[in-house]
Amino acid sequence: MATIATRDAYGAALAELGAIDPKLVVLDADLAAATKTSVFAKAYPDRFFDAGIAEANLVGIAAGLSTAGYTVFASSFAMFAAGRAFEQIRNSIGYPALPVNIGATHAGISVGEDGASHQCCEDIALMRTIPGMTILNPADDVEARAAVFAAAKLQSPVYLRFGRLAVPRVNAEDYDFQIGKAVPLRAGTDVTIIATGLMVAAALEAAANLESEGISAAVLNIHTIKPLDEEAVLAAAAQTGVLVTAEEHNIIGGLGSAVAELVSEKSPVPVHRVGVRDTFGRSGPALEMLRRYGLDAKTIAETVRAAVRR
Amino acid sequence: MELTKKSRLQALATRARLAALEGVWRAKSGHPGGSLSALDILTYLYQEVLRIDPAKPDWEKRDRFVLSKGHAAPGLYAALAVRGYFPLSDLATLRHPDSHLQGHPNMHYTPGVDMSTGSLGQGISAAVGMALAAKIGGDDWKVYTLLGDGEIEEGQVWEAAMFAAAKKLDNLVAIVDNNNLQIDGTIVEVNSPYPIGEKFTAFGWHVIEIDGHCYDQLEQAFAEASTIAGQPTVIVAKTVKGKGVSFMENNVNWHGSAPNDEQYAQGVAELTSTLNELEG
């Protein structure tokens, strides 16, 4: 199967949107070639601005532009957008509720060889704590494109999370993407695997393998981590009685936390979290890193087996 | 500047100082020192420089002002009230939970506030973004931002300064309220940003240095700024922290504390006496 990185879909979607929205302005912080905002920059050089290696100012400029009615996407790696510029996002975008879109690429451990300094597994946790922030974590190129178009329309802050690694497509090209709406990708009765980002493909692979062992696993794709589709998560909890979450993020503060917080209050069922287990990564090929830190179909399947045996 | 005009502006600034002081006194907290130091600059901006309409605070073609030193909110609110955005008596609700006048400026609560600020170093970046927006759209509105001299210790200020000059944002004017004091002492004792003018010159800005309480110099500086093409302008304005209230002047203890009843009464007496002299 052909694979495409969500960052590539991001750059292409921005260029596509540029033709439709004359008010679209894209900013980067000296990483345009990597974040793929370079695709937009090439098509619309007058509406692309490079802030240089200055992420705090990048976020502030984006805020200022948005007050004057521009549709703004500001990009850097997740580490430097959500991490370094957290307080600027909180105070200059979140608190004034400005419709700025933070396009953060190179999220998660699959950054690979650059190592732990660049592998951001904390961004979802950071962004979740900002009131009014929408967090989109697309699973494939189809969803990444749809997320860009939906974010551009939303008149409030959005954090979009993209990956460096080429990933398989899990959604149909014409599927109906709605912010805040979970996507059931597979039905099942014993357990629901609630996955986000590149872990959705791993969840589907795990579910297919588990079927041969007689375990019926549903798969729910959560592309919007905030606001969480509470209805879909609670329905999954009620239907299968046990949940396994899967994300390319620290198990603290991400999707697993969001699901556990919700069900523990409203419908307590066991929640087992697959994710980076509160550790820093190492340098290495992306796929090897995903396996090393338990972000693969094998680990999801093992977690499901343990969960349904309980 | 004509004497009558100058007296009128000074009287308006004094009224604003009285209102700002009342707000901080009633709230039993706030930042009087940096509000009083900035109030001649703010008064001149809102009375004479900004192309604005208090009846239409969201007018798209208005000039923008960003209070990057957001803690001078009492000063900004008083200047806005004197300009007619809302009643001066609203200052009495400063820092109340349901007041539109929060501890630091909020663009959605207070008419006339163009950007929510308070975390130092961030306002100038938003102002740069606004100036860039005007350039992209071919609009003629201008952007003004007021920074503290302690605030420019923030690295983000220099990220913004570098970008503004690189993009030739000549529709941007920054003013540094150089009152020489920050919370932990004089700015020299803490982490000297001097020489301020030379730093901005090195960053590619046009620099004007003035006395920030002198209306003749304020008039000349803003007039000069409007003639500068191809680069942003910074006005480094020497000011007195706590200006107008004798015991607050040049005293760092008044950066972020409110006067008690007795001190407030003395401040009111001094400012009222100044006002009476001006309005004769």
Side-chain angles (χ1 to χ4, degrees), chain B:
Chain B
M1 186 183 293
E2 275 179 39
L3 210 56
T4 50
K5 183 178 174 184
K6 193 186 291 182
S7 300
R8 179 184 148 269
L9 290 169
Q10 286 169 331
L12 291 175
T14 307
R15 285 189 187 283
R17 285 190 166 95
L18 276 162
L21 195 67
E22 184 190 350
V24 173
W25 168 65
R26 285 190 189 277
K28 295 187 170 60
S29 72
H31 298 85
S35 292
L36 296 173
S37 69
L39 260 169
D40 292 306
I41 298 162
L42 290 168
T43 298
Y44 190 76
L45 269 168
Y46 275 95
Q47 295 296 325
E48 298 292 328
V49 179
L50 297 176
R51 187 178 73 182
I52 46 176
D53 180 356
K56 290 188 291 180
D58 297 325
W59 178 36
E60 281 183 11
K61 302 295 179 193
R62 73 189 184 283
D63 287 344
R64 269 71 167 174
F65 175 73
V66 178
L67 184 69
S68 202
K69 50 170 290 187
H71 55 282
L76 172 64
Y77 299 154
L80 285 168
V82 166
R83 184 66 175 82
Y85 281 88
F86 46 84
L88 204 54
S89 56
D90 285 8
L91 267 290
T93 68
L94 179 72
R95 292 185 164 229
H96 288 210
D98 296 319
S99 170
H100 71 94
L101 304 179
Q102 294 290 292
H104 292 83
N106 180 300
M107 63 189 287
H108 300 300
Y109 299 162
T110 309
V113 170
D114 291 320
M115 181 66 197
S116 301
T117 53
S119 179
L120 296 177
Q122 297 190 26
I124 185 174
S125 289
V128 168
M130 292 173 187
L132 185 63
K135 288 285 184 192
I136 296 169
D139 297 306
D140 66 348
W141 43 269
K142 292 181 169 16
V143 185
Y144 299 83
T145 182
L146 181 66
L147 295 145
D149 52 6
E151 180 183 10
I152 66 174
E153 292 162 6
E154 287 279 5
Q156 185 174 348
V157 169
W158 301 101
E159 292 184 6
M162 192 184 291
F163 182 90
K167 304 299 175 196
K168 302 183 167 51
L169 299 179
D170 52 14
N171 54 350
L172 175 69
V173 179
I175 307 105
V176 177
D177 181 10
N178 186 197
N179 62 33
N180 206 44
L181 291 171
Q182 61 187 116
I183 296 175
D184 283 350
T186 68
I187 61 173
V188 172
E189 286 166 349
V190 177
N191 181 18
S192 180
Y194 290 124
I196 298 171
E198 282 90 330
K199 284 194 174 68
F200 276 99
T201 301
F203 272 74
W205 287 54
H206 178 70
V207 177
I208 305 171
E209 302 197 338
I210 63 163
D211 172 347
H213 302 302
C214 173
Y215 285 86
D216 289 313
Q217 293 186 32
L218 284 164
E219 182 178 54
Q220 285 161 15
F222 284 105
E224 181 178 327
S226 70
T227 67
I228 302 303
Q231 63 182 152
T233 292
V234 61
I235 299 170
V236 182
K238 265 274 178 233
T239 58
V240 173
K241 198 151 185 164
K243 176 74 177 178
V245 177
S246 62
F247 59 91
M248 289 186 173
E249 289 192 354
N250 290 316
N251 183 341
V252 74
N253 295 325
W254 293 103
H255 171 86
S257 48
N260 62 27
D261 294 354
E262 195 184 330
Q263 290 160 334
Y264 175 61
Q266 189 189 331
V268 169
E270 288 181 17
L271 289 166
T272 304
S273 152
T274 304
L275 189 61
N276 289 339
E277 279 170 34
L278 289 164
E279 295 185 336

Side-chain angles (χ1 to χ4, degrees), chain A residues 22 46 67 86 88 98-99 103 140 142 144 149 153 178 184 186 207 210-211 216 248 271 293:
Chain A
D46 296 343
T67 67
F86 169 77
Q88 281 77 15
L98 293 172
D140 64 9
V142 172
F149 276 74
K153 276 194 200 144
Q178 289 177 45
R186 184 186 171 101
L210 288 161
E211 190 175 18
S216 170
E248 190 194 8
V271 177
Y293 293 97

